[in-house]
Amino acid sequence: MTETDPRDEARALIASATQVLRELMEEGVDCFERSAAPEEAQAEVHEGAAAHPAPVVHEPPAPPAAPRPAAATLEAVREELGDCARCGLCEGRRKIVFGSGNPDAQLMFVGEGPGEQEDLQGLPFVGRAGELLTQMIEKGMGISRDEVYICNIVKCRPPNNRNPLPTEVAACRPFLDGQIDAVGPKVIVTLGKPAASLLLGRDVAITRTRGTWHDYRGIPLMPTLHPAFVLRQYTPENRRNVWEDLKAAYTRARA
Ligand code: URA
């Protein structure tokens, strides 16, 4: 067995603590209260555990969407993607994870990027987080997962499931937009902060943004928590929040 160098471990710990602090600062956290119960304190600093109900944000109405050229089909978008080598993620991937589901879906889910299972199988959301998402769609909404369309911001697995880099996101962006155009959903649900931030064009605090309606090029968009986060923070509040968001999205998609 190879021995782990304690200095490497320390470096990894520092890198991960730095990342957490950066995310907290992005969320507007600038101090910690020592008095909070451990679970509450932990929940407060992570993306979805709103200690206070998420406010309803009334954004100014979006200007009318500019007429768009006829959308390519999903097959055409996939063909254009090809055996992609547009960014470094191609080096470590096993399979491209393009997307799956109904090409005419009324409801479209956008996650962050493939994990290990997705990379192995070439399908989005088939690992543990995917099981939870599938359960929420099938048991919660009462529809088959095949009725919706599911994809990610990036189509190849980032090493060690790190967040995709801006260059990687930019390289994949035309294909995500192509998928959205091809499917033409009535509602988009973004899963987690990166997907919401990308499609809303700004760095969002998912805690405050989830549960509120937005617009992506004329399509109503509902940001919610990422199922992987809900698995990590499996609190009644997080589950209730995601469920409320999905119910609102499903109701609007069927209207
Ligand atoms: N997490 C994601 O964001 N996407 C997947 O496909 C799986 C896990």
Side-chain angles (χ1 to χ4, degrees):
M1 217 170 57
T2 50
E3 292 236 338
T4 319
D5 183 338
R7 283 169 306 182
D8 286 339
E9 277 184 357
R11 273 193 283 272
L13 267 172
I14 290 165
S16 115
T18 307
Q19 173 72 13
V20 169
L21 285 172
R22 199 171 290 130
E23 285 172 8
L24 292 177
M25 284 164 70
E26 282 168 14
E27 300 269 341
V29 174
D30 55 10
C31 65
F32 298 92
E33 282 187 20
R34 297 181 64 92
S35 56
E39 297 92 329
E40 281 169 11
Q42 205 183 18
E44 178 71 33
V45 297
H46 277 281
E47 65 172 5
H52 313 288
V56 176
V57 175
H58 296 288
E59 295 214 323
R68 299 184 60 77
T73 61
L74 277 177
E75 290 78 23
V77 179
R78 178 65 189 86
E79 204 173 308
E80 175 69 23
L81 181 65
D83 187 24
C84 186
R86 291 170 180 83
C87 79
L89 291 183
C90 66
E91 284 157 27
R93 72 157 183 249
R94 281 173 281 202
K95 287 196 173 149
I96 291 182
V97 181
F98 181 64
S100 73
N102 179 358
D104 299 314
Q106 296 188 329
L107 196 51
M108 179 164 180
F109 290 86
V110 180
E112 182 179 339
E116 187 181 19
Q117 278 306 312
E118 291 77 17
D119 177 56
L120 279 170
Q121 299 183 40
L123 292 168
F125 283 98
V126 289
R128 280 188 68 232
E131 269 171 36
L132 180 59
L133 179 65
T134 306
Q135 240 182 44
M136 289 191 286
I137 295 168
E138 304 211 323
K139 294 208 179 114
M141 296 178 175
I143 57 173
S144 156
R145 177 185 151 125
D146 297 338
E147 276 188 52
V148 304
Y149 190 78
I150 306 176
C151 64
N152 284 302
I153 300 174
V154 292
K155 315 302 182 203
C156 299
R157 183 190 184 196
N160 301 318
N161 299 338
R162 64 155 168 75
N163 290 347
L165 304 173
T167 48
E168 296 158 354
V169 172
C172 245
R173 178 74 185 262
F175 302 98
L176 174 60
D177 280 333
Q179 287 171 298
I180 293 173
D181 284 348
V183 174
K186 282 174 81 177
V187 169
I188 296 173
V189 175
T190 52
L191 302 165
K193 175 184 168 104
S197 297
L198 179 70
L199 294 191
L200 297 183
R202 63 194 159 85
D203 190 39
V204 302
I206 194 69
T207 306
R208 288 192 285 277
T209 312
R210 63 138 287 275
T212 62
W213 283 107
H214 301 264
D215 174 278
Y216 184 63
R217 301 189 328 197
I219 303 171
L221 183 151
M222 169 61 72
T224 195
L225 309 178
H226 196 288
F229 168 76
V230 178
L231 283 176
R232 286 198 304 276
Q233 305 280 326
Y234 203 65
T235 63
E237 184 182 26
N238 285 344
R239 284 179 280 158
R240 188 175 54 245
N241 282 343
V242 173
W243 178 231
E244 290 300 323
D245 302 345
L246 295 192
K247 260 195 313 196
Y250 184 49
T251 305
R252 188 148 181 185
R254 289 201 320 168

